[in-house]
Amino acid sequence: MHGLHKFLLIHVLTCLRQNALGSEIINGKKVPDNLMLYMASVQDNRGHICGGFLISEDFVVTAAHCDTSNPTSVVLGTHNLKKINNDTMRYRVKKCKHPSYKNAQSGNDIMLLKLAQKVQLDNSVQKIQLSRSEVNIKEHMMCHVAGWGATKSKGRVVDELREVSVSIINLQFCEKEWPGLPANVICAGGYGTRKGFCQGDSGGPLVCNGMAVGVVSFNKNRNCAYPDVPNVYTDISKYLPWINTIVKGRKHYE
């Protein structure tokens, strides 16, 4: 009996430990290498600063506020930032911020990065479809957000891509929690849950039904300790005409 009791005690402790770890990880779980092949690491000369996502062979979407860190390149084709082949995975970029952008809290927090050369789409790099204007994002819809951001407030970015499921939050409720909430945004995750994004995830996609519907914009006072207030994303559907104009080559870049 003593041996059985010892076995049961070890089993219970193991289960408790697994549950505790699962509840403490802000950014969810590691992304399998064969999924989310559209994810991009936006980088400066020192390394990762923001997330992004590939929408065509030569354009990546990210957040406009990422420009404050002066991004110079994006990395595609790897989920592990310790495994980068600069010759085949790194692309120099030119920037095009939304013309009405001032700061994240004022809205229009979206930027396109034009790659110096086109990406070869294959089993390690793929593009993601953007949401259409008629797509109806409903309250409580389950979506996903991914990135290399910190797993706790004031933490460090991680090497391996992580993702978490988040649910869409009613916009009227979000406006009450966020006085002065800008227009053209989506709220998802971060409120009443331990799930959401953190610093370093900015610019990454909110993905619903396999389409990119939002761009990671901001949370409250860089606080990733949930529950807090809803996480805020730029609503891509409101910027489709602007995006299409740029992708078709009728804009200048920095």
Side-chain angles (χ1 to χ4, degrees):
M1 291 294 293
H2 176 72
L4 178 60
H5 287 163
K6 184 176 181 181
F7 170 80
L8 291 174
L9 178 60
I10 291 173
H11 177 72
V12 169
L13 290 175
T14 300
C15 291
L16 287 174
R17 188 178 300 117
Q18 289 173 343
N19 289 337
L21 287 172
S23 66
E24 292 170 0
I25 298 174
I26 294 172
N27 285 322
K29 60 186 179 181
K30 180 179 177 293
V31 177
D33 291 339
N34 63 334
L35 298 179
M36 296 189 171
L37 303 181
Y38 46 79
M39 287 297 299
S41 170
V42 180
Q43 304 200 352
D44 62 10
N45 293 328
R46 294 175 296 178
H48 176 84
I49 56 174
C50 280
F53 48 102
L54 189 71
I55 62 167
S56 73
E57 286 84 349
D58 53 352
F59 278 96
V60 163
V61 175
T62 189
H65 76 260
C66 295
D67 189 40
T68 59
S69 298
N70 190 30
T72 55
S73 66
V74 300
V75 170
L76 294 160
T78 182
H79 287 354
N80 189 334
L81 298 185
K82 283 189 173 180
K83 298 180 179 179
I84 297 175
N85 184 326
N86 286 326
D87 293 331
T88 60
M89 297 178 177
R90 187 178 300 279
Y91 299 81
R92 304 294 291 184
V93 296
K94 294 182 179 179
K95 301 172 289 185
C96 185
K97 286 185 293 187
H98 192 274
S100 299
Y101 172 78
K102 295 180 180 179
N103 56 61
Q105 286 70 28
S106 298
N108 303 306
D109 190 12
I110 186 169
M111 176 168 65
L112 283 179
L113 302 175
K114 181 174 173 59
L115 310 185
Q117 68 265 11
K118 289 187 176 183
V119 177
Q120 181 66 44
L121 302 179
D122 54 25
N123 58 5
S124 63
V125 179
Q126 289 292 324
K127 59 186 178 180
I128 187 171
Q129 181 181 345
L130 297 182
S131 64
R132 300 179 299 275
S133 57
E134 66 268 20
V135 171
N136 186 15
I137 304 300
K138 298 180 179 179
E139 183 180 2
H140 303 309
M141 178 184 289
M142 292 305 299
C143 303
H144 298 268
V145 60
W148 289 271
T151 57
K152 62 180 180 179
S153 298
K154 300 181 181 180
R156 296 182 178 181
V157 297
V158 297
D159 294 317
E160 294 186 306
L161 182 66
R162 303 177 71 80
E163 65 93 16
V164 70
S165 58
V166 293
S167 61
I168 300 296
I169 295 173
N170 178 275
L171 194 57
Q172 286 70 37
F173 173 82
C174 192
E175 289 170 344
K176 292 179 181 179
E177 295 297 312
W178 278 107
L181 186 72
N184 301 335
V185 297
I186 298 171
C187 297
Y191 182 87
T193 175
R194 294 182 181 272
K195 297 180 179 182
F197 60 71
C198 198
Q199 272 55 57
D201 293 321
S202 293
L206 176 66
V207 179
C208 304
N209 293 328
M211 294 187 294
V213 304
V215 182
V216 173
S217 186
F218 62 89
N219 58 5
K220 187 176 181 180
N221 299 326
R222 303 174 67 88
N223 180 10
C224 306
Y226 306 116
D228 190 15
V229 294
N231 286 173
V232 180
Y233 301 78
T234 303
D235 184 348
I236 290 174
S237 69
K238 303 299 192 297
Y239 297 90
L240 290 177
W242 176 75
I243 292 172
N244 290 332
T245 296
I246 297 171
V247 171
K248 291 177 181 177
R250 295 196 292 269
K251 283 286 184 178
H252 297 288
Y253 312 95
E254 297 177 21

